Amino acid sequence: MINIDMWYGDDHKKADKIDISFYPNDGEYRGNIYKNGKTIGDYTSNNSVELEKSFSQ
Protein backbone atom coordinates (compact mmCIF):
# COMPACT_ATOMS: atom_id res chain seq x y z
CA MET A 1 0.00 0.00 0.00
CA ILE A 2 1.16 3.52 -0.73
CA ASN A 3 -0.23 6.71 0.76
CA ILE A 4 0.59 9.87 -1.20
CA ASP A 5 -0.17 13.30 0.27
CA MET A 6 0.18 16.12 -2.25
CA TRP A 7 0.04 19.38 -0.31
CA TYR A 8 -0.88 21.76 -3.14
CA GLY A 9 -2.94 19.58 -5.47
CA ASP A 10 -0.05 18.75 -7.82
CA ASP A 11 0.09 15.46 -9.71
CA HIS A 12 2.70 13.14 -8.17
CA LYS A 13 3.57 11.84 -11.67
CA LYS A 14 4.98 15.30 -12.53
CA ALA A 15 7.40 15.37 -9.59
CA ASP A 16 11.10 15.88 -10.34
CA LYS A 17 12.38 13.62 -7.58
CA ILE A 18 11.66 11.93 -4.29
CA ASP A 19 13.80 11.04 -1.32
CA ILE A 20 13.50 7.67 0.37
CA SER A 21 14.11 6.57 3.95
CA PHE A 22 13.44 3.04 5.19
CA TYR A 23 12.20 2.51 8.75
CA PRO A 24 12.92 -1.14 9.60
CA ASN A 25 10.94 -1.13 12.87
CA ASP A 26 7.79 -0.23 10.91
CA GLY A 27 8.82 -1.94 7.64
CA GLU A 28 7.89 1.30 5.93
CA TYR A 29 9.40 3.61 3.31
CA ARG A 30 8.85 7.34 3.85
CA GLY A 31 9.93 10.42 1.98
CA ASN A 32 9.20 13.76 0.43
CA ILE A 33 8.12 14.58 -3.11
CA TYR A 34 9.79 17.47 -4.97
CA LYS A 35 9.08 19.63 -8.00
CA ASN A 36 11.41 22.42 -9.17
CA GLY A 37 13.45 22.05 -5.98
CA LYS A 38 10.48 22.58 -3.64
CA THR A 39 8.79 20.02 -1.43
CA ILE A 40 5.23 19.54 -2.68
CA GLY A 41 4.16 16.42 -0.79
CA ASP A 42 5.14 13.27 1.03
CA TYR A 43 4.42 9.56 1.00
CA THR A 44 4.55 6.36 3.02
CA SER A 45 4.66 2.85 1.60
CA ASN A 46 5.20 -0.68 2.85
CA ASN A 47 6.03 -2.00 -0.63
CA SER A 48 9.11 -0.92 -2.61
CA VAL A 49 7.71 -2.26 -5.91
CA GLU A 50 4.55 -0.19 -5.52
CA LEU A 51 6.72 2.82 -4.70
CA GLU A 52 8.76 2.30 -7.86
CA LYS A 53 5.60 2.00 -9.98
CA SER A 54 4.13 5.18 -8.52
CA PHE A 55 7.32 7.20 -9.09
CA SER A 56 8.79 5.80 -12.28
CA GLN A 57 10.55 9.12 -12.99
Side-chain angles (χ1 to χ4, degrees):
M1 180 186 94
I2 189 166
N3 181 23
I4 299 172
D5 182 14
M6 299 304 291
W7 304 337
Y8 308 109
D10 293 291
D11 180 2
H12 74 277
K13 298 280 187 192
K14 298 190 185 228
D16 297 327
K17 72 174 191 167
I18 63 170
D19 59 23
I20 303 169
S21 296
F22 180 68
Y23 292 78
N25 292 339
D26 300 332
E28 192 168 74
Y29 298 90
R30 300 178 195 162
N32 291 315
I33 304 166
Y34 301 90
K35 183 176 180 183
N36 297 326
K38 295 184 180 184
T39 308
I40 59 170
D42 58 23
Y43 69 87
T44 59
S45 179
N46 60 2
N47 185 318
S48 63
V49 174
E50 204 170 323
L51 184 60
E52 185 177 357
K53 287 180 183 178
S54 296
F55 296 101
S56 60
Q57 65 277 34

